[in-house]
Amino acid sequence: MRVRSTLVYTVLRLAAFLVPFGIMMLLPVMREFYWLSAIFAALIGLSLSMLFLRRPLGAMTEGMAARRPRRATDEDIEDAATESEKS
């Protein structure tokens, strides 16, 4: 897994939450209901990340998939069993 792609995606995700949260906290009404600002910021951040962060997410998941060990499939196990029976 490339650390750079993970770091870029994490920083962009945090920015997608913190920027709307900071803007909403500038409003006097939202200072009283900070939890509502957090909920709205989370929804806005989720929407922004789904729209604009597909490429960093893809790079991060490719790195994770390349690092993960390959699992044996049923066909591999059956082939190994038939090979051991033949020997």
Side-chain angles (χ1 to χ4, degrees):
M1 176 171 60
R2 294 181 51 194
V3 175
R4 182 176 183 270
S5 61
T6 304
L7 185 64
V8 166
Y9 181 71
T10 303
V11 168
L12 290 174
R13 260 318 274 271
L14 283 172
F17 171 76
L18 291 175
V19 170
F21 184 71
I23 291 171
M24 281 189 268
M25 290 306 290
L26 293 174
L27 302 172
V29 174
M30 290 301 202
R31 283 188 203 141
E32 292 180 30
F33 301 107
Y34 64 89
W35 55 271
L36 193 59
S37 296
I39 292 172
F40 286 152
L43 292 173
I44 291 168
L46 177 67
S47 300
L48 289 174
S49 66
M50 288 177 65
L51 291 173
F52 298 114
L53 299 181
R54 289 181 192 244
R55 188 170 296 154
L57 178 62
M60 186 179 75
T61 54
E62 283 176 9
M64 291 173 71
R67 187 173 177 211
R68 192 173 91 183
R70 184 176 172 267
R71 293 186 184 180
T73 62
D74 288 339
E75 293 175 4
D76 294 336
I77 295 170
E78 290 172 358
D79 291 343
T82 56
E83 290 295 323
S84 66
E85 288 177 3
K86 290 180 181 177
S87 301

